[in-house]
Amino acid sequence: MRIIEFRSPLSPDSTVSNAAPLETWVDIDAADAEGRRWLTCESGLSEEVVERLLQPPLTSYWRRFGQGLYLHARAPVPAGDSSAIGIVDFGLWLEPGRIITVGHGKVPALARAAEACSRGEGPASSWELIAFVLAEGLSRMEQILHDLTATIDQLEDEVLSRESDPPSHRLTELQKQLVYA
């Protein structure tokens, strides 16, 4: 479990003369017993929100609970070799003054955001954290699509240069990668 105080007291709804209080980011790995205990016993969240954070569904969605907003997201992550990808789920709870993220597996975008914050270069508010995570996911997807296009072009050249069928195992790999992308 990581707890990070954001550097900036400003939120999108505040001005320099009307600064919002500092925000706290609590980042939890769902497999971490201490983080689960804190979330269940000390976070002050409703049982329904805690359950959603700890047991995410199979689809992305968002839902409002009182003054808070729950978002379930999926992120592409490298899996095995550089051309393979996997999907990791994470829940995000956003309320005034606090954001809680619960990863179900390693979420590289959240880890990079925490590292950047520790260097004083990362997101300065909850909204910047959300934008940072989205940008990281889009950047990863861009790289995956670029790699897939290059592989397809190479396979197409191989097929055109010989009269035999393309290797079926390479086509199967491409199909799997396209499904995840």
Coordinates of all heavy atoms in Angstrom, one line a residue, residues 6-82:
F6 N -0.5 14.7 -2.9 CA -0.2 15.4 -4.2 C 0.4 16.8 -3.9 O 0.1 17.4 -2.8 CB -1.5 15.6 -5.0 CG -2.0 14.3 -5.7 CD1 -3.2 13.8 -5.4 CD2 -1.1 13.7 -6.6 CE1 -3.6 12.7 -6.1 CE2 -1.5 12.5 -7.2 CZ -2.8 12.0 -7.0
R7 N 1.2 17.2 -4.8 CA 2.0 18.4 -4.6 C 1.2 19.7 -4.7 O 1.5 20.7 -4.0 CB 3.1 18.5 -5.7 CG 4.1 17.5 -5.6 CD 5.2 17.6 -6.7 NE 4.7 17.2 -8.0 CZ 4.5 18.0 -9.0 NH1 4.8 19.2 -9.0 NH2 4.0 17.5 -10.1
S8 N 0.1 19.7 -5.5 CA -0.6 20.9 -5.8 C -2.0 20.9 -5.0 O -2.7 19.9 -5.0 CB -0.9 21.0 -7.3 OG -1.8 22.1 -7.5
P9 N -2.3 22.0 -4.4 CA -3.6 22.1 -3.8 C -4.7 22.5 -4.7 O -5.9 22.6 -4.3 CB -3.4 23.2 -2.7 CG -2.4 24.1 -3.4 CD -1.5 23.2 -4.2
L10 N -4.4 22.6 -6.0 CA -5.4 23.0 -7.0 C -6.2 21.8 -7.6 O -5.6 20.8 -7.9 CB -4.8 23.9 -8.1 CG -4.1 25.1 -7.6 CD1 -3.4 25.8 -8.8 CD2 -5.1 26.1 -6.9
S11 N -7.4 22.0 -7.8 CA -8.2 21.0 -8.5 C -8.8 21.7 -9.7 O -8.8 23.0 -9.8 CB -9.3 20.5 -7.6 OG -10.4 21.4 -7.4
P12 N -9.4 21.0 -10.7 CA -10.0 21.7 -11.8 C -11.1 22.7 -11.5 O -11.3 23.6 -12.3 CB -10.6 20.5 -12.7 CG -9.9 19.3 -12.2 CD -9.6 19.6 -10.8
D13 N -11.7 22.5 -10.3 CA -12.8 23.4 -9.9 C -12.3 24.6 -9.1 O -13.1 25.4 -8.6 CB -13.9 22.7 -9.2 CG -14.5 21.6 -10.0 OD1 -14.6 21.7 -11.2 OD2 -14.8 20.5 -9.4
S14 N -11.0 24.7 -8.8 CA -10.6 25.8 -7.9 C -9.8 26.8 -8.7 O -9.3 26.6 -9.8 CB -9.7 25.2 -6.8 OG -8.6 24.6 -7.3
T15 N -9.6 28.0 -8.1 CA -8.8 29.0 -8.7 C -7.7 29.3 -7.7 O -7.7 28.8 -6.5 CB -9.6 30.3 -8.9 OG1 -10.0 30.8 -7.6 CG2 -10.8 30.1 -9.8
V16 N -6.7 30.1 -8.0 CA -5.6 30.4 -7.1 C -6.1 31.0 -5.9 O -5.6 30.8 -4.8 CB -4.6 31.4 -7.8 CG1 -3.5 31.8 -6.9 CG2 -4.0 30.7 -9.1
S17 N -7.2 31.9 -5.9 CA -7.7 32.5 -4.7 C -8.6 31.6 -4.0 O -8.9 31.8 -2.8 CB -8.4 33.8 -5.1 OG -9.6 33.5 -5.9
N18 N -9.0 30.5 -4.6 CA -10.0 29.6 -3.9 C -9.4 28.1 -4.0 O -9.9 27.3 -4.7 CB -11.3 29.6 -4.6 CG -12.3 28.7 -3.9 OD1 -12.2 28.3 -2.8 ND2 -13.3 28.3 -4.7
A19 N -8.2 27.9 -3.4 CA -7.5 26.6 -3.5 C -8.3 25.5 -2.8 O -8.7 25.7 -1.7 CB -6.1 26.8 -3.0
A20 N -8.3 24.4 -3.4 CA -8.9 23.2 -2.8 C -7.9 22.6 -1.8 O -6.7 22.9 -2.0 CB -9.3 22.2 -3.8
P21 N -8.3 21.9 -0.8 CA -7.3 21.2 0.1 C -6.5 20.2 -0.7 O -6.9 19.7 -1.7 CB -8.2 20.6 1.1 CG -9.6 20.5 0.6 CD -9.7 21.6 -0.5
L22 N -5.3 19.9 -0.1 CA -4.5 18.9 -0.8 C -5.2 17.6 -0.9 O -6.1 17.3 -0.1 CB -3.2 18.7 0.1 CG -2.2 19.8 0.0 CD1 -1.0 19.6 1.0 CD2 -1.6 20.0 -1.4
E23 N -4.8 16.8 -1.9 CA -5.5 15.5 -2.1 C -4.5 14.4 -1.7 O -3.3 14.6 -1.8 CB -5.9 15.3 -3.5 CG -7.0 16.3 -3.9 CD -7.3 16.2 -5.4 OE1 -6.4 16.4 -6.2 OE2 -8.4 15.8 -5.7
T24 N -5.0 13.2 -1.3 CA -4.3 12.1 -1.0 C -4.6 11.0 -2.0 O -5.7 10.7 -2.3 CB -4.6 11.6 0.4 OG1 -4.3 12.7 1.3 CG2 -3.7 10.4 0.8
W25 N -3.5 10.3 -2.5 CA -3.7 9.1 -3.3 C -3.3 7.9 -2.5 O -2.2 7.8 -2.0 CB -2.9 9.3 -4.6 CG -2.8 8.0 -5.5 CD1 -3.7 7.0 -5.5 CD2 -1.8 7.7 -6.4 NE1 -3.3 6.1 -6.5 CE2 -2.1 6.5 -7.0 CE3 -0.6 8.3 -6.7 CZ2 -1.3 5.9 -7.9 CZ3 0.2 7.7 -7.7 CH2 -0.1 6.5 -8.3
V26 N -4.2 6.9 -2.4 CA -3.9 5.6 -1.8 C -3.9 4.6 -2.9 O -4.9 4.4 -3.5 CB -4.9 5.3 -0.6 CG1 -4.6 4.0 0.0 CG2 -5.0 6.4 0.4
D27 N -2.8 3.9 -3.1 CA -2.6 2.9 -4.1 C -2.5 1.6 -3.4 O -1.5 1.4 -2.6 CB -1.5 3.2 -5.0 CG -1.3 2.3 -6.2 OD1 -2.3 1.8 -6.7 OD2 -0.2 1.9 -6.5
I28 N -3.4 0.6 -3.8 CA -3.4 -0.7 -3.1 C -3.3 -1.8 -4.1 O -4.0 -1.7 -5.2 CB -4.7 -0.9 -2.3 CG1 -4.7 0.2 -1.2 CG2 -4.8 -2.3 -1.7 CD1 -6.1 0.3 -0.5
D29 N -2.5 -2.8 -3.8 CA -2.5 -4.0 -4.6 C -3.6 -4.9 -4.0 O -3.5 -5.2 -2.8 CB -1.2 -4.7 -4.6 CG -1.1 -6.0 -5.5 OD1 -2.1 -6.7 -5.6 OD2 0.0 -6.2 -6.0
A30 N -4.6 -5.4 -4.8 CA -5.7 -6.2 -4.2 C -5.2 -7.5 -3.5 O -5.9 -8.0 -2.6 CB -6.6 -6.6 -5.3
A31 N -4.0 -8.0 -3.8 CA -3.4 -9.2 -3.2 C -2.7 -8.8 -1.8 O -2.4 -9.7 -1.1 CB -2.4 -9.8 -4.1
D32 N -2.5 -7.6 -1.5 CA -1.9 -7.1 -0.3 C -2.8 -7.2 0.9 O -3.8 -6.4 0.9 CB -1.3 -5.7 -0.5 CG -0.7 -5.2 0.8 OD1 0.0 -5.9 1.5 OD2 -0.9 -4.0 1.0
A33 N -2.5 -8.0 1.9 CA -3.4 -8.2 3.0 C -3.6 -6.9 3.8 O -4.7 -6.6 4.2 CB -2.9 -9.3 3.9
E34 N -2.5 -6.2 4.0 CA -2.5 -4.9 4.8 C -3.4 -3.9 4.0 O -4.2 -3.2 4.7 CB -1.1 -4.3 5.0 CG -1.2 -3.0 5.7 CD 0.2 -2.3 5.7 OE1 1.2 -2.9 5.4 OE2 0.2 -1.1 6.0
G35 N -3.3 -3.8 2.7 CA -4.1 -2.9 1.9 C -5.6 -3.2 2.0 O -6.4 -2.4 2.1
R36 N -5.8 -4.5 1.9 CA -7.2 -5.0 1.9 C -7.9 -4.7 3.3 O -9.0 -4.3 3.4 CB -7.3 -6.5 1.6 CG -7.0 -6.9 0.2 CD -7.0 -8.4 0.0 NE -8.3 -8.9 0.0 CZ -9.1 -9.1 -1.0 NH1 -8.7 -8.8 -2.2 NH2 -10.3 -9.6 -0.9
R37 N -7.1 -4.9 4.4 CA -7.6 -4.6 5.7 C -7.9 -3.1 5.9 O -8.9 -2.7 6.4 CB -6.5 -5.1 6.8 CG -7.1 -4.9 8.2 CD -5.9 -5.0 9.2 NE -4.9 -4.0 9.0 CZ -5.0 -2.7 9.3 NH1 -6.2 -2.2 9.7 NH2 -4.0 -1.8 9.1
W38 N -6.9 -2.3 5.4 CA -7.1 -0.8 5.5 C -8.4 -0.4 4.7 O -9.2 0.3 5.2 CB -5.9 -0.1 4.9 CG -6.2 1.4 4.9 CD1 -5.9 2.3 6.0 CD2 -6.7 2.2 3.9 NE1 -6.3 3.5 5.6 CE2 -6.8 3.5 4.3 CE3 -7.2 1.9 2.6 CZ2 -7.3 4.6 3.6 CZ3 -7.7 3.0 1.8 CH2 -7.8 4.3 2.3
L39 N -8.6 -1.0 3.5 CA -9.7 -0.6 2.7 C -11.0 -1.1 3.3 O -12.0 -0.3 3.4 CB -9.6 -1.3 1.3 CG -10.5 -0.9 0.2 CD1 -10.2 0.6 -0.1 CD2 -10.2 -1.7 -1.1
T40 N -11.0 -2.3 3.9 CA -12.2 -2.8 4.5 C -12.5 -2.2 5.9 O -13.7 -1.9 6.2 CB -12.0 -4.3 4.8 OG1 -11.7 -4.9 3.5 CG2 -13.3 -5.0 5.3
C41 N -11.5 -1.9 6.7 CA -11.7 -1.4 8.1 C -11.5 0.0 8.3 O -12.1 0.6 9.2 CB -10.9 -2.2 9.0 SG -11.1 -4.0 9.0
E42 N -10.6 0.7 7.6 CA -10.2 2.0 8.0 C -10.5 3.1 6.9 O -10.4 4.3 7.2 CB -8.7 2.0 8.3 CG -8.3 1.2 9.4 CD -6.8 1.1 9.6 OE1 -6.1 2.1 9.3 OE2 -6.3 0.1 10.1
S43 N -10.9 2.7 5.7 CA -11.0 3.7 4.7 C -12.2 4.6 4.8 O -12.3 5.7 4.3 CB -11.1 3.0 3.3 OG -12.3 2.2 3.2
G44 N -13.2 4.1 5.5 CA -14.5 4.8 5.7 C -15.4 4.7 4.5 O -16.4 5.3 4.4
L45 N -15.1 3.8 3.5 CA -15.9 3.6 2.4 C -17.1 2.7 2.7 O -16.9 1.8 3.6 CB -15.1 3.1 1.2 CG -14.0 4.0 0.7 CD1 -13.2 3.3 -0.4 CD2 -14.6 5.3 0.1
S46 N -18.1 2.8 1.9 CA -19.3 1.9 2.1 C -18.8 0.5 1.7 O -17.9 0.3 0.9 CB -20.5 2.3 1.3 OG -20.2 2.1 -0.1
E47 N -19.6 -0.5 2.3 CA -19.3 -1.9 1.9 C -19.4 -2.2 0.4 O -18.6 -2.9 -0.1 CB -20.3 -2.8 2.7 CG -19.9 -4.3 2.7 CD -20.9 -5.1 3.5 OE1 -21.1 -4.7 4.7 OE2 -21.4 -6.1 3.1
E48 N -20.4 -1.5 -0.2 CA -20.6 -1.7 -1.6 C -19.4 -1.2 -2.4 O -19.0 -1.9 -3.4 CB -21.9 -1.1 -2.1 CG -22.2 -1.3 -3.5 CD -23.5 -0.7 -4.0 OE1 -24.1 0.1 -3.2 OE2 -24.0 -1.0 -5.1
V49 N -18.9 -0.1 -2.1 CA -17.7 0.5 -2.8 C -16.5 -0.4 -2.6 O -15.8 -0.7 -3.5 CB -17.4 1.9 -2.4 CG1 -16.1 2.4 -3.0 CG2 -18.6 2.8 -2.8
V50 N -16.3 -0.8 -1.3 CA -15.1 -1.7 -1.0 C -15.2 -3.0 -1.8 O -14.2 -3.4 -2.4 CB -15.0 -2.0 0.5 CG1 -14.0 -3.1 0.8 CG2 -14.7 -0.7 1.2
E51 N -16.4 -3.6 -1.9 CA -16.6 -4.8 -2.6 C -16.3 -4.6 -4.1 O -15.6 -5.4 -4.7 CB -18.0 -5.3 -2.5 CG -18.3 -6.6 -3.2 CD -19.8 -7.0 -2.9 OE1 -20.2 -7.0 -1.8 OE2 -20.4 -7.5 -3.9
R52 N -16.7 -3.5 -4.7 CA -16.4 -3.2 -6.1 C -15.0 -3.0 -6.4 O -14.4 -3.5 -7.4 CB -17.2 -2.0 -6.6 CG -18.7 -2.3 -6.7 CD -19.5 -1.0 -7.1 NE -20.9 -1.2 -7.0 CZ -21.6 -1.7 -8.0 NH1 -21.1 -2.1 -9.1 NH2 -22.9 -1.9 -7.8
L53 N -14.3 -2.4 -5.4 CA -12.8 -2.2 -5.6 C -12.1 -3.5 -5.5 O -11.1 -3.7 -6.2 CB -12.3 -1.2 -4.5 CG -12.6 0.3 -4.8 CD1 -12.3 1.1 -3.5 CD2 -11.9 0.8 -6.0
L54 N -12.5 -4.4 -4.6 CA -11.8 -5.6 -4.4 C -12.2 -6.7 -5.4 O -11.4 -7.7 -5.6 CB -12.0 -6.1 -3.0 CG -11.3 -5.2 -1.9 CD1 -11.6 -5.8 -0.5 CD2 -9.8 -5.2 -2.1
Q55 N -13.4 -6.7 -5.9 CA -13.9 -7.7 -6.8 C -14.4 -7.1 -8.1 O -15.6 -7.0 -8.3 CB -15.0 -8.5 -6.2 CG -14.6 -9.2 -4.9 CD -13.6 -10.3 -5.0 OE1 -13.7 -11.0 -6.1 NE2 -12.8 -10.5 -4.1
P56 N -13.5 -6.7 -9.0 CA -14.0 -5.9 -10.2 C -14.7 -6.9 -11.2 O -14.4 -8.0 -11.3 CB -12.7 -5.4 -10.8 CG -11.7 -6.3 -10.3 CD -12.1 -6.8 -9.0
P57 N -15.7 -6.3 -11.9 CA -16.4 -7.1 -12.9 C -15.5 -7.2 -14.1 O -14.4 -6.7 -14.2 CB -17.6 -6.2 -13.2 CG -17.1 -4.8 -12.9 CD -16.1 -5.0 -11.8
L58 N -16.0 -7.9 -15.1 CA -15.3 -8.2 -16.3 C -15.4 -7.1 -17.4 O -14.9 -7.3 -18.5 CB -15.7 -9.5 -16.9 CG -15.5 -10.7 -16.0 CD1 -16.1 -12.0 -16.6 CD2 -14.0 -10.9 -15.7
T59 N -16.0 -6.0 -17.1 CA -16.2 -5.0 -18.1 C -15.8 -3.6 -17.4 O -15.9 -3.5 -16.2 CB -17.6 -4.9 -18.6 OG1 -17.7 -3.9 -19.6 CG2 -18.6 -4.7 -17.5
S60 N -15.5 -2.6 -18.2 CA -15.2 -1.3 -17.8 C -16.5 -0.5 -17.6 O -17.3 -0.6 -18.5 CB -14.2 -0.6 -18.7 OG -13.0 -1.2 -18.8
Y61 N -16.6 0.2 -16.5 CA -17.7 1.1 -16.3 C -17.4 2.1 -15.2 O -16.4 2.0 -14.5 CB -19.0 0.3 -16.0 CG -19.1 -0.3 -14.6 CD1 -19.8 0.4 -13.6 CD2 -18.4 -1.4 -14.3 CE1 -19.8 -0.1 -12.4 CE2 -18.5 -1.9 -13.0 CZ -19.2 -1.2 -12.0 OH -19.2 -1.7 -10.7
W62 N -18.3 3.0 -15.0 CA -18.2 3.9 -13.9 C -19.6 4.1 -13.2 O -20.6 3.8 -13.9 CB -17.7 5.3 -14.3 CG -18.6 6.1 -15.2 CD1 -18.7 6.0 -16.6 CD2 -19.6 7.0 -14.8 NE1 -19.7 6.8 -17.0 CE2 -20.2 7.5 -16.0 CE3 -20.0 7.5 -13.6 CZ2 -21.3 8.4 -15.9 CZ3 -21.0 8.5 -13.5 CH2 -21.6 8.9 -14.7
R63 N -19.6 4.5 -12.0 CA -20.8 4.6 -11.2 C -20.6 5.6 -10.1 O -19.6 5.6 -9.4 CB -21.3 3.3 -10.6 CG -22.6 3.5 -9.9 CD -23.3 2.2 -9.6 NE -24.4 2.4 -8.8 CZ -24.9 1.6 -7.9 NH1 -24.3 0.4 -7.7 NH2 -26.0 1.9 -7.2
R64 N -21.6 6.5 -9.9 CA -21.5 7.5 -8.8 C -22.1 6.9 -7.5 O -23.1 6.2 -7.6 CB -22.3 8.7 -9.2 CG -21.9 9.9 -8.5 CD -22.5 11.2 -9.1 NE -21.7 11.9 -10.0 CZ -20.5 12.5 -9.7 NH1 -20.1 12.3 -8.5 NH2 -19.8 13.2 -10.5
F65 N -21.4 7.1 -6.4 CA -21.9 6.8 -5.1 C -21.8 8.0 -4.2 O -20.7 8.4 -3.8 CB -21.1 5.7 -4.4 CG -21.2 4.3 -5.1 CD1 -20.4 4.0 -6.2 CD2 -22.1 3.4 -4.7 CE1 -20.4 2.7 -6.7 CE2 -22.2 2.2 -5.2 CZ -21.4 1.8 -6.3
G66 N -22.9 8.7 -3.9 CA -22.9 9.9 -3.1 C -22.0 10.9 -3.8 O -22.1 11.3 -4.9
Q67 N -21.0 11.4 -3.0 CA -20.0 12.4 -3.5 C -18.8 11.7 -4.2 O -17.9 12.4 -4.7 CB -19.5 13.3 -2.4 CG -20.6 14.2 -1.9 CD -20.0 15.3 -1.0 OE1 -18.9 15.1 -0.4 NE2 -20.6 16.5 -1.0
G68 N -18.8 10.4 -4.3 CA -17.7 9.7 -4.9 C -18.1 9.1 -6.3 O -19.2 9.0 -6.6
L69 N -17.0 8.8 -7.0 CA -17.2 8.2 -8.3 C -16.3 6.9 -8.3 O -15.1 7.0 -8.0 CB -16.8 9.1 -9.4 CG -16.8 8.7 -10.8 CD1 -18.3 8.4 -11.2 CD2 -16.2 9.7 -11.7
Y70 N -16.9 5.8 -8.7 CA -16.1 4.5 -8.9 C -16.0 4.3 -10.4 O -16.9 4.4 -11.2 CB -16.9 3.4 -8.3 CG -16.3 2.0 -8.7 CD1 -15.1 1.6 -8.0 CD2 -16.8 1.3 -9.7 CE1 -14.6 0.4 -8.4 CE2 -16.3 0.1 -10.1 CZ -15.1 -0.4 -9.4 OH -14.5 -1.6 -9.8
L71 N -14.7 4.0 -10.7 CA -14.4 3.6 -12.1 C -13.7 2.3 -12.1 O -12.7 2.1 -11.4 CB -13.5 4.7 -12.7 CG -12.9 4.4 -14.1 CD1 -13.9 4.4 -15.2 CD2 -11.8 5.5 -14.4
H72 N -14.1 1.4 -13.0 CA -13.4 0.2 -13.2 C -12.8 0.3 -14.6 O -13.4 0.6 -15.5 CB -14.3 -1.0 -13.1 CG -13.6 -2.3 -13.5 ND1 -12.7 -2.9 -12.6 CD2 -13.5 -3.0 -14.7 CE1 -12.2 -4.0 -13.2 NE2 -12.6 -4.0 -14.5
A73 N -11.5 0.0 -14.6 CA -10.8 0.2 -15.9 C -9.9 -1.0 -16.2 O -9.6 -1.8 -15.3 CB -9.9 1.4 -15.8
R74 N -9.5 -1.2 -17.4 CA -8.7 -2.3 -17.9 C -7.5 -1.6 -18.6 O -7.7 -0.6 -19.3 CB -9.4 -3.2 -18.8 CG -10.7 -3.7 -18.2 CD -11.4 -4.7 -19.0 NE -10.9 -6.0 -18.4 CZ -11.1 -7.1 -19.0 NH1 -11.6 -7.2 -20.2 NH2 -10.7 -8.2 -18.3
A75 N -6.3 -2.2 -18.4 CA -5.1 -1.6 -19.0 C -4.3 -2.7 -19.7 O -4.2 -3.8 -19.1 CB -4.3 -0.9 -18.0
P76 N -3.8 -2.4 -20.9 CA -2.9 -3.4 -21.5 C -1.5 -3.4 -20.8 O -1.0 -2.3 -20.5 CB -2.8 -2.9 -23.0 CG -3.0 -1.4 -22.8 CD -3.9 -1.2 -21.7
V77 N -1.0 -4.6 -20.7 CA 0.4 -4.7 -20.1 C 1.2 -5.7 -20.9 O 0.6 -6.6 -21.5 CB 0.3 -5.1 -18.6 CG1 -0.4 -4.1 -17.7 CG2 -0.4 -6.4 -18.4
P78 N 2.5 -5.6 -20.9 CA 3.3 -6.6 -21.6 C 3.1 -7.9 -20.9 O 3.0 -8.1 -19.7 CB 4.7 -6.1 -21.4 CG 4.6 -4.7 -20.9 CD 3.3 -4.5 -20.3
A79 N 3.1 -9.0 -21.8 CA 2.9 -10.3 -21.3 C 3.9 -11.2 -22.0 O 3.8 -11.5 -23.2 CB 1.5 -10.9 -21.5
G80 N 4.9 -11.7 -21.3 CA 5.9 -12.6 -21.9 C 6.8 -11.8 -22.8 O 7.5 -10.9 -22.4
D81 N 6.8 -12.2 -24.1 CA 7.7 -11.5 -25.1 C 7.1 -10.2 -25.4 O 6.0 -9.8 -25.1 CB 7.9 -12.4 -26.3 CG 6.6 -12.6 -27.1 OD1 6.1 -11.6 -27.6 OD2 6.2 -13.7 -27.3
S82 N 7.9 -9.4 -26.1 CA 7.6 -8.0 -26.3 C 6.4 -7.8 -27.2 O 5.7 -6.7 -27.1 CB 8.8 -7.2 -26.9 OG 9.1 -7.8 -28.2

